[in-house]
Amino acid sequence: MIDRQSSPSETILASLPRRRRAEARFRIYGIAAIGIALAFLILLISAIGTQGIGAISQTEIALDVTLDESVLGLSDARDRETLSKANYRAVIRAALGDVFPEAVSARRDRRALMKLVSVGAGFELRNLVLEDPGLVGGTMRVWVPADDEVDMLMKGATARDSGRFSDKQLGWLDQLEEEGRIRSAFNWRFFTSGDSREPELAGILGAIAGSFFALITCLVLSFPLGVMTAIYLEEFAPRNRWTDLIEININNLAAVPSIVFGLLGLAIFLGFMGLTRSAPLVGGMVLALMTLPTVIIATRASLRAVPPSIREAAIGLGASRMQAMLHHTLPLAMPGIMTGTIIGMAQALGESAPLIMIGMVAFIVDMPQGLLDPASALPVQIYIWADSPERAFAEKTAAAIIVLLAFLIIMNLTAVILRRRFERRW
Amino acid sequence: MTKLTARNVNVFYGDAHALKQVNLDIRQNEVTALIGPSGCGKSTFLRCLNRMNDLIEACRVEGNICLDGEDIYDPAVDLVYLRARIGMVFQKPNPFPKSVYDNVAYGPKIHGLASSRAEMDDIVTSSLERAGLFEEVKDRLGAPATGLSGGQQQRLCIARAIAVCPEIILMDEPCSALDPIATARIEALIDELKQNFTIVIVTHSMQQAARVSQRTAFFHLGDLVEVGDTDTVFTKPVDPRTESYISGHIG
Amino acid sequence: MAQTAMAARDEARPSLLAVAKGRRARQILGERVLLGFLLASSLVAILTTIGIVFSLLFETIRFLDAVPLLDFLFGLNWSPQIAIREDQVGSSGAFGVVPLLVGTGLIAAVAMTVAGPLGLLSAIYLAEYASPRARGFAKPILEILAGIPTVVYGFFAVLVVAPFLRDSSESIGFEVSSESALAAGVVMGVMIVPIVSSLADDVIAAVPQSLREGAYGLGATKSETVRDIVLPAALPGIGGALLLGVSRAIGETMIVVMAAGLSANLTVNPLQAVTTITVQMVALLTGDQEFDSPKTLAAFALGLLLFIATLILNLIALMLVRRYQERYD
């Protein structure tokens, strides 16, 4: 035996407590790493949740408006054109004046009073009248959105003594509240309107439409291209330097920063091809190029997962390689391809940098109606709002994030269900 | 003297009953060979002896296995200490992707068996010598172990195991990946090692069992069919299944 | 009856060579065309790369007409605003990229300080320690983190992390800019954790089980096995995972656009505001300017730098991972 001072057994036994502690420590490091990730995730979701929950409701003020023809500046004509150009703001001002007669005398007071109501109040009144021109001349109670600062105050996000409101304004608001003229209503405007400079009027529908058009373009381009590329590489391509290059190229494309794709779109699609700036079509084209590697990689993996025996059986019956692939391999691989494509679409939906590069970051109020209308996209809208100084936009930003995450969850769940449902063990 | 005793050992892989009611004594300073057709449970039994099966999720072991009278499946048993006392050599040589020296030194290093560099050099040298490898590698102790030939790698793994000074060495078909010459060297080595160690070897080669072992246990379909002195088992088997295996009818 | 039918079919068979006519010939032609389509679509990926390289190169060359290459690469001053005025185009030092490189590097370093340890430790935990149940719980956490859009991370950095860092360091007497490299870097680090951990997880899982068994057989503990055997064996692959993480960090846009500033400070102090290549690209291209101004062209030059840097990192990483996989296949 080897000469040693103490027997090996004793040495090992003596080392055990220390090593057990080291073992426990190491395990704890691993759990801690996961724990930190989890804590971050919880913090992120709860911070955005608490911030965004406020956007569900919107403070509204009840006004008894008299649609007086002279105040509206209407002559006899009642056509749409005239009606839409009428002075509804004056009607609002008058209605406010009815509630606070004491505030009408001084110009400064009148302005401070008007500040409590959203500048969008007039537009909403106009839309009511355009729907039913018979309202002109009558009196009715309407709930109009309050200004975003008032909204913040009512939601407790702004303190009364923050200096954003004069004592007079605070008094008016108290009086409105006492008279039951203030309520917190479901913020349908957030889901039905486009962007606005006024937080209380801003909505995400325009951005969602933009994202929708861009994603459709992305899908229509990247799905067939990606699947065809994958089929070629997996089933038909000879193994040589050339296909090796294509492979490396695809793997590398998957890791090229997204903003670089934006530059490509800017230089080629906008600069060289002269397509419209800010159009979802261009956005979708750029996203398609980015999604292509994801679709290709997923498709190849699914094709590879189909056992060669099936292909061989088909070829053994006299089918050509193309027939074997089209009739047997491809249908069997389809669930996997769809899963990969949905995940690729989800990535594309969350992408903003390349869209900013091609001008989808512009301030766009109108709803895009097609692929060539200027539009924004949901994540870009989030970026725009996050960048806005008005504090009320913070909760709109968070709410838009919640909507975005909801879309992503739905897409990813669909992918998971698809995978579970059609998962096959060969 | 009995070193290891297995009593009523049952092993399950999920629902599959891989070993059934195995009772076996392993005697000190002897070579015990476990033989039988593939899938008979001999390797499974070997891996129960140093609780290597713990690494497999679905594997469940029942019954008693005692080392010097202590139950090795007792929850209080420290696996580190157990495996330091019961070393193992695997079917395929699995040197670490390190130098020859570091491979042998690894066990002593983690167990703190050497208090100085010189002592470690001693352990490494003597382990390599006893594994019959020192002369071949003394000039390239710093070279990567993966550069050695298959037979050398397996002897390195044996040196690595004995550097920890175990009492028992388990060998799981140690020669199955080697050519006949390398196999002969390992067999000679096993014969030498039994002076200091108790050895349990799984082999699919009956000739090898006959050459190196003193006792032989024959496994078939999860049952321990027969155990006895190697000579007896090979010349006068009791069980007809043993006889037909030895005469080449099964496996 | 049946037999005669079979016999009839047999007799009707034309010779092997005669088949390549008629219906079969049309089919072959159709398949050729289809194959052509498949080949053509696989070229789109190549064309994309070529398109990227050419558009970046072309605009960069035009940019370098206005700003000398050396001033661009080694200039210590970045203030593109000056160059709006015609007479100052290319005025000295306005387009020096060094502060951007330093800022990008600084934020990437902070990010990898977070993502490296967290990603590797969680990968080790998932691959070596976690029970199937724990894995089923921990893996989705990382997958969700990976699926969150970067604009959300950016908002979170501005909303929570930056104010928290500012307040907590003020309370211990540090001055932290509200757009510090630290806030952007930390959040970016968390974003990169899933990338590092999923790649490292794959790499660790690919280390042959026989090596682990060898170590366990000697009486090594799990942590000793991981530290001394598994990690060294997986080292090239882990290096690849980390490099891909770095590549993501320097190419990441939204987090830095929202949480890091526009001020091109030349500093390595993570408590100060720095700017990055991607932030400046966005700043240069948003807002109204004609396509040919040096400001716009500068964005392409920055894009080229970014593309080259990430390309090199990606290729090295892919090569490391590939070579590693081959070793154990």
Side-chain angles (χ1 to χ4, degrees):
Chain A
M1 299 277 334
I2 303 161
D3 286 341
R4 291 209 186 97
Q5 269 104 30
S6 58
S7 86
S9 291
E10 282 168 30
T11 320
I12 296 174
L13 276 178
S15 78
L16 285 181
R18 177 182 55 79
R19 291 165 71 187
R20 264 190 226 128
R21 280 197 302 276
E23 179 69 19
R25 231 177 6 247
F26 200 72
R27 190 189 182 87
I28 286 170
Y29 292 152
I31 294 177
I34 300 280
I36 291 173
L38 176 63
F40 187 94
L41 185 60
I42 291 175
L43 190 63
L44 185 144
I45 289 173
S46 58
I48 286 171
T50 47
Q51 181 75 238
I53 200 91
I56 287 182
S57 63
Q58 164 67 38
T59 307
E60 292 182 344
I61 296 175
L63 293 178
D64 301 306
V65 290
T66 308
L67 291 160
D68 189 72
E69 282 150 34
S70 60
V71 180
L72 283 168
L74 283 176
S75 51
D76 295 334
R78 287 290 182 275
D79 57 298
R80 259 189 102 74
E81 175 82 20
T82 329
L83 279 177
S84 65
K85 279 187 179 155
N87 191 352
Y88 296 97
R89 234 179 123 65
V91 174
I92 301 280
R93 191 179 298 127
L96 273 171
D98 291 344
V99 187
F100 305 107
E102 78 281 5
V104 186
S105 49
R107 224 182 109 88
R108 266 184 57 195
D109 285 354
R110 280 208 304 274
R111 270 166 106 196
L113 191 55
M114 272 307 272
K115 269 193 177 165
L116 299 181
V117 176
S118 165
V119 294
F123 301 124
E124 292 199 356
L125 198 57
R126 181 189 66 188
N127 289 345
L128 283 177
V129 171
L130 284 178
E131 245 169 60
D132 180 8
L135 294 172
V136 176
T139 299
M140 60 176 179
R141 170 165 279 211
V142 290
W143 288 94
V144 295
D147 183 70
D148 58 308
E149 288 290 356
V150 175
D151 189 43
M152 288 288 101
L153 181 74
M154 290 300 154
K155 283 172 180 167
T158 311
R160 282 177 76 89
D161 55 2
S162 62
R164 288 168 195 270
F165 295 98
S166 67
D167 289 342
K168 259 188 190 157
Q169 282 177 313
L170 288 171
W172 293 330
L173 285 172
D174 290 341
Q175 188 186 332
L176 283 172
E177 212 166 5
E178 272 166 39
E179 292 177 15
R181 285 175 181 274
I182 288 190
R183 72 171 182 189
S184 170
F186 178 70
N187 187 5
W188 49 268
R189 292 173 195 87
F190 181 71
F191 297 98
T192 56
S193 42
D195 197 8
S196 167
R197 301 246 187 247
E198 304 300 324
E200 71 274 14
L201 300 177
I204 53 169
L205 193 61
I208 289 178
S211 274
F212 175 77
F213 287 128
L215 272 194
I216 290 290
T217 313
C218 172
L219 180 65
V220 165
L221 290 176
S222 66
F223 182 72
L225 276 179
V227 172
M228 294 205 314
T229 304
I231 291 175
Y232 177 72
L233 290 179
E234 198 60 34
E235 308 270 331
F236 297 101
R239 294 273 164 271
N240 58 25
R241 274 198 170 168
W242 176 240
T243 44
D244 236 28
L245 183 71
I246 299 184
E247 275 216 60
I248 294 175
N249 178 54
I250 289 168
N251 285 333
N252 180 61
L253 270 188
V256 167
S258 59
I259 192 169
V260 172
F261 283 94
L263 287 182
L264 169 78
L266 181 57
I268 306 279
F269 299 152
L270 298 186
F272 182 68
M273 292 165 65
L275 294 171
T276 331
R277 212 175 133 81
S278 307
L281 175 72
V282 180
M285 287 164 74
V286 173
L287 292 177
L289 294 182
M290 289 184 57
T291 317
L292 209 48
T294 312
V295 178
I296 294 173
I297 291 167
T299 306
R300 293 190 68 179
S302 327
L303 289 175
R304 215 173 298 146
V306 177
S309 59
I310 287 178
R311 201 164 323 170
E312 284 158 11
I315 289 175
L317 289 173
S320 67
R321 271 171 77 193
M322 188 67 82
Q323 285 172 324
M325 193 274 305
L326 286 178
H327 300 165
H328 299 278
T329 317
L330 189 59
L332 287 169
M334 224 9 132
I337 298 175
M338 307 265 279
T339 309
T341 307
I342 294 174
I343 288 171
M345 289 298 128
Q347 281 167 5
L349 175 58
E351 201 54 70
S352 20
L355 303 184
I356 292 176
M357 293 282 106
I358 56 138
M360 287 183 82
V361 69
F363 172 67
I364 292 147
V365 181
D366 295 328
M367 209 72 64
Q369 301 298 324
L371 292 176
L372 288 170
D373 287 354
S376 183
L378 197 44
V380 181
Q381 186 71 73
I382 290 167
Y383 163 63
I384 296 172
W385 285 349
D387 229 24
S388 305
E390 290 88 351
R391 280 155 23 93
F393 268 127
E395 69 172 33
K396 300 284 185 284
T397 311
I401 286 176
I402 294 172
V403 173
L404 175 62
L405 291 181
F407 277 120
L408 290 179
I409 289 170
I410 291 171
M411 293 172 85
N412 281 297
L413 276 184
T414 315
V416 169
I417 290 169
L418 206 61
R419 182 161 43 200
R420 291 253 169 91
R421 180 99 188 262
F422 292 98
E423 195 172 51
R424 236 179 245 256
R425 297 249 169 259
W426 299 101
Chain B
M1 206 186 104
T2 303
K3 188 73 185 166
L4 265 173
T5 55
R7 289 287 169 269
N8 303 326
V9 173
N10 285 284
V11 177
F12 303 86
Y13 288 116
D15 292 331
H17 199 169
L19 271 186
K20 300 162 194 161
Q21 291 292 51
V22 173
N23 290 291
L24 181 64
D25 290 349
I26 310 268
R27 295 191 200 143
Q28 191 157 13
N29 293 64
E30 273 190 3
V31 178
T32 306
L34 313 180
I35 62 168
S38 351
C40 67
K42 53 192 194 299
S43 283
T44 302
F45 179 71
L46 188 79
R47 293 169 67 96
C48 286
L49 299 180
N50 68 344
R51 292 185 57 179
M52 218 51 162
N53 283 334
D54 288 20
L55 296 175
I56 301 164
E57 302 277 358
C59 180
R60 199 170 85 245
V61 180
E62 287 173 3
N64 276 312
I65 299 174
C66 291
L67 170 64
D68 292 336
E70 286 178 302
D71 183 4
I72 66 167
Y73 277 89
D74 190 295
V77 164
D78 193 294
L79 282 183
V80 167
Y81 185 48
L82 174 73
R83 290 181 184 149
R85 289 175 66 184
I86 307 181
M88 189 158 192
V89 176
F90 298 84
Q91 186 169 1
K92 241 182 86 192
N94 57 351
F96 302 134
K98 296 172 182 288
S99 69
V100 171
Y101 183 98
D102 287 341
N103 260 277
V104 182
Y106 183 62
K109 195 190 94 194
I110 54 171
H111 294 305
L113 297 183
S115 52
S116 67
R117 176 78 198 194
E119 214 174 309
M120 185 64 91
D121 288 349
D122 260 6
I123 297 177
V124 171
T125 312
S126 66
S127 304
L128 284 171
E129 272 170 356
R130 293 204 296 163
L133 189 63
F134 186 69
E135 285 305 315
E136 289 163 55
V137 299
K138 63 181 176 191
D139 299 327
R140 43 176 175 155
L141 290 176
T146 40
L148 299 178
S149 73
Q152 288 173 326
Q153 287 189 8
Q154 195 62 300
R155 276 180 284 147
L156 178 68
C157 291
I158 294 175
R160 188 174 73 183
I162 59 184
V164 184
C165 280
E167 296 154 50
I168 303 172
I169 301 176
L170 309 177
M171 296 187 176
D172 188 359
E173 303 198 24
C175 304
S176 67
L178 305 181
D179 61 65
I181 297 169
T183 302
R185 294 214 55 169
I186 303 249
E187 286 179 5
L189 176 60
I190 291 171
D191 206 46
E192 275 172 48
L193 290 174
K194 76 166 189 289
Q195 291 159 25
N196 294 318
F197 305 97
T198 304
I199 293 172
V200 186
I201 178 171
V202 166
T203 174
H204 61 269
S205 147
M206 282 172 287
Q207 292 82 349
Q208 185 171 64
R211 283 194 298 265
V212 300
S213 72
Q214 282 73 57
R215 274 162 62 80
T216 295
F218 172 64
F219 285 77
H220 187 241
L221 297 175
D223 290 307
L224 173 56
V225 174
E226 185 165 352
V227 60
D229 286 346
T230 300
D231 288 344
T232 325
V233 172
F234 277 92
T235 51
K236 292 186 272 300
V238 181
D239 196 286
R241 285 173 291 175
T242 319
E243 189 172 2
S244 54
Y245 180 68
I246 286 169
S247 55
H249 289 301
I250 31 179
Chain C
M1 247 331 250
Q3 262 174 350
T4 35
M6 288 273 266
R9 269 174 59 180
D10 273 348
E11 274 158 34
R13 255 171 215 185
S15 82
L16 274 174
L17 296 174
V19 177
K21 285 181 192 155
R23 205 176 87 89
R24 178 67 188 135
R26 279 198 304 279
Q27 191 191 345
I28 289 174
L29 184 68
E31 292 189 357
R32 286 252 170 86
V33 172
L34 194 49
L35 193 60
F37 270 110
L38 297 183
L39 176 63
S41 59
S42 74
L43 295 183
V44 171
I46 296 271
L47 285 178
T48 308
T49 307
I50 294 175
I52 290 175
V53 170
F54 270 82
S55 54
L56 293 180
L57 263 183
F58 188 65
E59 308 291 346
T60 304
I61 290 168
R62 290 172 60 197
F63 169 73
L64 291 177
D65 282 346
V67 179
L69 178 64
L70 292 181
D71 289 0
F72 174 60
L73 286 182
F74 301 109
L76 300 181
N77 186 17
W78 177 269
S79 42
Q81 298 85 332
I82 310 173
I84 297 172
R85 294 215 307 278
E86 200 60 33
D87 54 326
Q88 278 189 322
V89 166
S91 66
S92 63
F95 285 101
V97 83
V98 172
L100 309 192
L101 295 180
V102 172
T104 306
L106 179 62
I107 291 183
V110 174
M112 290 315 289
T113 312
V114 174
L118 281 185
L120 288 186
L121 284 171
S122 42
I124 291 169
Y125 176 76
L126 285 173
E128 300 284 333
Y129 281 89
S131 65
R133 264 189 65 201
R135 211 180 144 84
F137 172 76
K139 230 175 142 74
I141 296 175
L142 296 172
E143 280 166 2
I144 294 171
L145 279 181
I148 292 177
T150 53
V151 71
V152 178
Y153 280 105
F155 181 63
F156 181 70
V158 177
L159 182 74
V160 177
V161 179
F164 170 78
L165 285 177
R166 195 185 49 226
D167 296 348
S168 57
S169 46
E170 255 167 26
S171 66
I172 53 170
F174 272 114
E175 196 66 40
V176 176
S177 152
S178 63
E179 293 182 327
S180 67
L182 192 59
V186 166
V187 173
M188 191 192 283
V190 176
M191 181 206 84
I192 295 171
V193 165
I195 298 167
V196 173
S197 96
S198 88
L199 283 168
D201 189 355
D202 291 347
V203 161
I204 289 172
V207 172
Q209 186 64 13
S210 67
L211 286 184
R212 290 188 189 86
E213 292 192 336
Y216 292 139
L218 288 174
T221 65
K222 209 161 210 179
S223 60
E224 287 162 350
T225 307
V226 169
R227 203 186 52 218
D228 302 338
I229 309 299
V230 176
L231 287 187
L235 203 58
I238 287 176
L242 290 175
L243 281 186
L244 280 181
V246 175
S247 162
R248 273 300 290 266
I250 64 174
E252 170 49 36
T253 306
M254 295 319 290
I255 294 178
V256 278
V257 165
M258 296 166 84
L262 277 168
S263 44
N265 296 323
L266 187 53
T267 175
V268 288
N269 178 359
L271 304 181
Q272 285 191 354
V274 293
T275 191
T276 72
I277 295 177
T278 51
V279 172
Q280 290 302 323
M281 286 165 70
V282 170
L284 290 170
L285 286 179
T286 47
D288 300 313
Q289 70 275 319
E290 72 274 38
F291 201 64
D292 286 347
S293 83
K295 271 180 72 179
T296 321
L297 297 177
F300 285 89
L302 292 180
L304 186 62
L305 273 188
L306 184 64
F307 180 74
I308 293 172
T310 52
L311 180 72
I312 292 172
L313 284 171
N314 296 342
L315 289 183
I316 296 177
L318 289 173
M319 198 187 68
L320 280 175
V321 173
R322 227 188 211 201
R323 187 175 293 173
Y324 164 81
Q325 281 167 345
E326 276 163 12
R327 174 156 25 139
Y328 290 118
D329 262 353

